[in-house]
C-alpha cells in the first residue's frame, strides 16, 4: 500500500512526501481509512509505530475539507507529558504545512498568559496536557463546545500519572456528539473501562511493537563488573559510537553522575529528568535534536514519548527493572524503517532481569566478548 491509496487531500500527500515517508506504517494503513470514515478508534500502539501521523493526517484532512471556521477549536488532543504534546504539535505543523489549521499547545510549567493570548487569536487544534487545559478553562479563556474530534494519546500513561479525574472532567466539557480516537500502549482493565465510557462503537486496531522494534534494532550486551561501568560507557561513547546517543539510567542521581562523568571526559552531554525545570528539559531536548549536544542522559519517566528521528544509538547504562521498559527504551532507536543500535551494559547481578527481557523479546541478546573492560 502507498500513501496515494489513502484518499488524503493533495496538501497532505505532499507533506508526507516531504517528510520522506514512502509507505504507511501498519497502524497508519489500518487507522487512516477508519478515521476518515468517521468511526471511533480504540488503538493499541506505542510511540514509534507512526501513530501520530495515523491520527494527524485524517484529522487535518477533515479540517481542510471543512475550510477555515471561527468559533473555537474543532480538535482537542490530550497527551500525558509536555514532551509528547510538543512532538504532536510539531507533527501537526509539519503535516499541516499546506492546510489552514491553527494549532495551540497548552503545557504546564510555563506561563499561562502567552497561551491564552494565542487562543484569543483563533485556534482550530488544541494539544494539551490535562492539568493545564483545565487551568485555561478555569481562566474562561477557552470553550470546548465546538470540538468535533477528541484524541486521547498514551491513555495508559495518563492513568499512571493520575490524570483520570481530569480526563473525566474534560470529557464533560466537550460535545457528546463527537469523533473520538483513543490510543494506549497497554490495555489493563482500567483502560478498557475508560475506553468503553468515552468511545462509541469503536473499531479496534492493534499493532505489535515488540516484533517490529526488536527486529529493527541491532542489540548487544556488554558484561562488566559494577565498578567498571562508567569507564566502559566513556569508552563506548568516545571510541566506538558515532553520532547521537541516548543513555538511560534507572535513577535521577545516576543520570546526574553519568552526565558529570561524560562531561569531564570532554563530551557534549545534557541530562533530562524529573528534577530539572521544564525550561531546562526543553532546552536539553532541543540541543540534542539539533546535534548541539551529542549525548542525552535520561531517566525512563523523563524519556517517555521522546521522539527523535534518526537516533542511531540507545545505551542502557542500567538494565531496566521491567522487560517492557527495555522494549520501550530500545524503541527510541530504529524507528519506522530506520535501523538502530541498542547497547546494554550489564553486571553479573543483572542476569535475572535479562532473562525476563529475553523471554519477552523472544530472542537472546548477543553478548560482546573481548571488550577492554571485560571481567
Ligand atoms: P510516532 O509513533 O508517531 O511517534 O512516530 C515515530 C516516528 O516515525 C516519527 O519520527 C515519524 O516522523 C516517523 N514516521 C511516521 N510515519 C512514517 C512513515 N510512514 N514512514 C517513515 N517514517 C514515519
Amino acid at each position: 500500500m502507498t500513501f496515494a491509496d489513502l484518499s488524503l487531500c493533495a496538501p497532505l500527500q505532499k507533506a508526507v512526501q516531504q517528510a520522506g515517508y514512502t509507505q504507511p506504517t501498519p497502524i497508519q494503513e489500518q487507522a487512516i481509512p477508519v478515521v476518515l470514515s468517521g468511526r471511533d478508534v480504540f488503538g493499541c500502539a506505542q510511540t514509534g509505530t507512526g501513530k501520530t501521523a495515523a491520527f494527524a493526517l485524517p484529522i487535518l484532512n477533515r479540517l481542510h475539507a471543512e475550510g477555515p471556521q471561527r468559533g473555537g477549536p474543532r480538535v482537542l488532543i490530550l497527551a500525558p507529558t509536555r514532551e509528547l504534546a510538543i512532538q504532536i504539535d510539531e507533527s501537526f505543523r509539519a503535516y499541516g504545512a499546506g492546510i489552514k489549521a491553527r494549532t495551540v499547545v497548552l503545557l504546564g510549567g510555563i506561563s499561562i498568559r502567552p497561551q491564552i493570548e494565542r487562543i484569543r487569536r483563533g485556534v482550530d487544534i488544541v494539544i494539551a496536557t490535562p492539568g493545564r487545559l483545565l487551568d485555561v478553562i478555569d481562566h474562561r479563556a477557552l470553550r470546548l463546545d465546538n470540538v468535533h474530534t477528541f484524541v486521547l494519546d498514551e491513555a495508559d500513561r495518563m492513568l499512571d500519572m493520575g490524570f483520570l479525574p481530569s480526563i473525566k472532567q474534560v470529557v464533560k466539557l466537550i460535545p457528546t456528539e463527537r469523533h473520538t480516537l483513543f490510543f494506549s500502549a497497554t490495555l489493563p482493565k482500567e483502560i478498557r473501562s475508560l475506553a468503553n465510557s468515552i468511545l462509541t462503537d469503536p473499531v479496534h486496531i492493534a499493532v505489535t511493537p515488540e516484533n517490529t522494534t526488536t527486529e529493527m534494532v541491532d542489540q548487544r550486551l556488554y558484561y562488566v563488573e559494577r565498578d567498571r561501568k562508567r569507564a566502559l560507557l566513556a569508552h563506548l561513547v568516545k571510541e566506538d559510537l558515532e553520532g547521537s546517543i541516548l543513555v538511560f539510567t534507572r535513577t535521577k542521581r545516576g543520570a546526574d553522575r553519568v552526565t558529570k562523568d561524560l562531561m569531564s571526559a570532554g563530551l557534549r552531554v545534557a541530562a533530562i529528568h524529573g528534577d530539572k525545570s521544564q525550561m531546562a528539559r526543553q532546552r536539553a531536548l532541543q540541543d540534542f535534536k539539533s546535534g548541539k549536544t551529542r549525548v542525552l542522559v535520561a531517566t525512563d519517566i523523563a524519556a517517555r514519548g521522546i521522539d527523535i528521528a534518526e537516533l542511531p544509538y540507545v545505551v542502557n547504562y542500567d538494565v531496566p527493572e521491567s522487560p517492557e521498559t527495555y522494549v520501550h527504551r530500545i524503541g527510541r532507536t530504529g524507528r519506522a524503517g530506520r535501523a538502530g543500535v541498542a547497547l546494554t551494559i550489564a553486571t553479573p547481578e543483572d542476569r535475572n532481569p535479562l532473562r525476563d527481557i529475553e523471554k519477552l523479546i523472544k530472542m537472546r541478546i548477543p553478548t560482546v566478548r573481548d571488550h577492554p573492560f571485560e571481567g
Side-chain angles (χ1 to χ4, degrees), residues 358-370:
E358 291 182 331
K359 223 194 267 163
L360 179 71
I361 64 175
K362 299 194 186 74
M363 64 172 277
R364 292 294 299 263
I365 307 171
T367 303
V368 176
R369 312 232 172 252
D370 301 326

Side-chain angles (χ1 to χ4, degrees), residues 247-267:
V247 177
F248 282 102
T249 61
R250 212 145 44 184
T251 63
K252 293 183 254 189
R253 270 192 47 210
D256 283 335
R257 241 188 340 250
V258 166
T259 307
K260 245 167 103 188
D261 258 17
L262 293 177
M263 245 178 219
S264 54
L267 290 149

Side-chain angles (χ1 to χ4, degrees), residues 56-294:
L57 293 171
I59 286 175
L60 287 164
N61 197 76
R62 175 166 177 185
L63 294 183
H64 181 65
E66 289 170 349
Q69 281 182 15
R70 300 162 70 120
R74 284 173 275 171
V75 178
L76 173 66
I77 299 166
L78 285 186
T81 62
R82 298 150 176 164
E83 285 79 12
L84 183 63
I86 290 169
Q87 271 154 20
I88 295 172
D89 179 51
E90 284 170 358
S91 298
F92 268 87
R93 285 173 199 277
Y95 305 140
I99 284 170
K100 290 201 174 61
R102 298 156 300 176
T103 313
V104 169
V105 201
L106 305 178
L107 308 169
I110 46 181
S111 167
I112 199 167
R113 283 283 143 211
Q115 296 177 352
I116 291 177
E117 203 39 55
R118 293 282 306 276
I119 294 170
R120 293 233 162 91
R121 280 187 256 137
V123 52
D124 300 296
I125 304 166
V126 168
I127 302 161
T129 51
R132 178 49 64 96
L133 177 72
L134 290 170
D135 270 358
V136 170
I137 291 170
D138 280 347
H139 278 76
R140 299 185 188 286
L142 179 68
R143 297 186 58 115
L144 300 176
D145 324 49
N146 252 344
V147 168
H148 61 44
T149 305
F150 175 50
V151 181
L152 205 59
D153 200 8
E154 300 206 349
D156 49 355
R157 297 252 148 78
M158 299 240 212
L159 260 53
D160 282 352
M161 294 170 78
F163 284 140
L164 185 59
S166 308
I167 294 169
K168 288 192 165 153
Q169 228 175 315
V170 172
V171 169
K172 280 196 200 128
L173 299 172
I174 53 180
T176 46
E177 200 53 45
R178 61 165 190 261
H179 189 192
T180 308
L181 313 173
F182 185 105
F183 292 92
S184 182
T186 57
L187 302 176
K189 208 168 71 225
E190 303 77 41
I191 284 292
R192 276 174 283 157
S193 94
L194 175 64
N196 274 336
S197 70
I198 65 175
L199 293 165
T200 309
D201 188 24
V203 176
H204 291 248
I205 296 173
V207 294
T208 42
E210 279 85 1
N211 295 334
T212 47
T213 307
T214 49
E215 271 167 21
M216 286 302 305
V217 179
D218 177 5
Q219 302 168 67
R220 298 174 212 160
L221 193 56
Y222 287 81
Y223 273 110
V224 70
E225 292 299 328
R226 179 167 294 279
D227 57 358
R228 308 191 79 181
K229 281 171 73 168
R230 298 158 79 162
L232 172 62
L233 178 70
H235 170 81
L236 289 172
V237 171
K238 280 189 94 146
E239 310 295 334
D240 284 0
L241 312 181
E242 254 173 50
S244 303
I245 306 164
L246 179 59
V247 177
F248 282 102
T249 61
R250 212 145 44 184
T251 63
K252 293 183 254 189
R253 270 192 47 210
D256 283 335
R257 241 188 340 250
V258 166
T259 307
K260 245 167 103 188
D261 258 17
L262 293 177
M263 245 178 219
S264 54
L267 290 149
R268 288 170 288 134
V269 48
I272 164 170
H273 60 61
D275 286 352
K276 303 256 174 190
S277 71
Q278 166 64 6
M279 283 280 279
R281 286 160 64 178
Q282 239 163 283
R283 190 171 331 113
L285 195 56
Q286 213 46 53
D287 286 351
F288 186 60
K289 281 187 174 183
S290 71
K292 209 161 138 193
T293 48
R294 192 175 149 228

Side-chain angles (χ1 to χ4, degrees), residues 3 21 23-25 28 46-52 307 309 335-336:
F3 277 102
Y21 305 166
Q23 211 185 326
T25 65
Q28 291 162 4
Q46 277 191 335
T47 297
T49 53
K51 80 175 148 57
T52 314
D307 169 25
R335 329 190 64 189

